[in-house]
Amino acid sequence: LWKVAEETQLLFGGGASPIDAVAMLTPSAFVSGAQDGSLALWSSMRKKALASVRVAHGRGGAETGGGSPCWISSLASAAYSDLLVSGSCDGHVRWWRA
């Protein structure tokens, strides 16, 4: 996250798996989706996730090795709301409330 006025950046962490998707909920809250299938809710005020859902899309079939978590491939949200949509390698779209 870039802090333009200060010309600095914030690094967020906590997961071992790469993050492939991010969606902004509000100017201070965002959600990330990772290759291990987890969704995480973040605040720009904290460097660790506020909440997370592990294996959010369940475990996959042949496309993920028959038991690996389905990775999160896309996220979208309605601006200034708590509604979020995630897409995964399982081919499904799921709705979430943050």
Side-chain angles (χ1 to χ4, degrees):
L1 181 67
W2 286 98
K3 297 170 96 181
V4 176
E6 292 88 17
E7 296 182 11
T8 61
Q9 64 181 340
L10 294 175
L11 298 177
F12 295 85
S17 183
I19 293 173
D20 289 337
V22 177
M24 183 180 87
L25 295 172
T26 67
S28 63
F30 59 96
V31 178
S32 66
Q35 289 180 9
D36 64 1
S38 64
L39 287 173
L41 175 64
W42 302 85
S43 168
S44 61
M45 303 301 172
R46 296 188 59 192
K47 292 185 179 183
K48 291 191 176 186
L50 300 173
S52 63
V53 177
R54 301 187 81 136
V55 193
H57 277 256
R59 296 193 179 274
E63 65 276 353
T64 63
S68 299
C70 295
W71 64 88
I72 306 299
S73 57
S74 60
L75 292 172
S77 65
Y80 299 98
S81 78
D82 61 350
L83 294 177
L84 173 74
V85 179
S86 63
S88 179
C89 70
D90 64 357
H92 292 95
V93 173
R94 295 197 175 161
W95 289 86
W96 305 87
R97 178 158 280 162

